[in-house]
Amino acid sequence: MKQWLKKFRERAEALEKEARVLVQAYRHPRTPWYARALAVLVLAHTFSPIDLIPDFIPVLGVLDDWIITPLGIALVICLIPPEVMAEARQQVEETGNASPALRRLGAALVILLWLVVLVWLGRAWDWE
């Protein structure tokens, strides 16, 4: 059981690192606009505290995280030129982990984004 948990933790860390690489690739000027748009959606889903399918729903709640995030990341990686991804990976290796303050800022921005979307949907929806 410990080996399975260790393997799961290693994959989760690799996924987090790949998400940081995507952030760097997103900022690169040679990244196509459609890859940027998909990267925003994937990263928002990955780091969002709000899930499309809540985690308390048996099986489906965690499957959306286990399927949407890796497939989205793989698709974005395919859309970004290989030389841009190589540069982004090198930048992530050089800078290491993000600071806790930067992580809190990122979480706050994702929450703010979801609140804006919810308010917009609430106003667009005809409640009367």
Side-chain angles (χ1 to χ4, degrees):
M1 184 69 166
K2 285 185 180 184
Q3 186 176 8
W4 179 83
L5 186 60
K6 181 180 177 185
K7 192 175 192 180
F8 180 77
R9 184 172 292 152
E10 288 171 357
R11 287 194 178 193
E13 289 171 1
L15 186 61
E16 181 185 358
K17 181 179 178 183
E18 208 58 22
R20 286 187 276 130
V21 169
L22 282 180
V23 170
Q24 291 298 324
Y26 173 85
R27 295 176 181 162
H28 200 284
R30 290 185 307 185
T31 300
W33 68 268
Y34 48 87
R36 288 179 190 217
L38 185 59
V40 167
L41 293 174
V42 171
L43 291 171
H45 178 267
T46 301
F47 294 117
S48 176
I50 302 170
D51 285 338
L52 295 175
I53 302 171
D55 288 341
F56 63 83
I57 296 176
V59 181
L60 292 177
V62 293
L63 276 182
D64 84 319
D65 293 330
W66 290 356
I67 293 173
I68 293 173
T69 298
L71 288 178
I73 289 174
L75 182 58
V76 172
I77 289 171
C78 289
L79 295 175
I80 296 174
E83 60 275 0
V84 172
M85 287 302 294
E87 289 177 31
R89 283 192 177 91
Q90 183 180 3
Q91 286 178 330
V92 168
E93 287 295 325
E94 290 172 359
T95 59
N97 287 334
S99 69
L102 187 60
R103 286 182 181 211
R104 284 192 295 273
L105 176 64
L109 289 175
V110 168
I111 291 169
L112 180 65
L113 174 70
W114 277 110
L115 288 174
V116 167
V117 168
L118 290 174
V119 167
W120 178 75
L121 286 175
R123 289 180 182 241
W125 192 273
D126 188 10
W127 293 97
E128 297 178 29

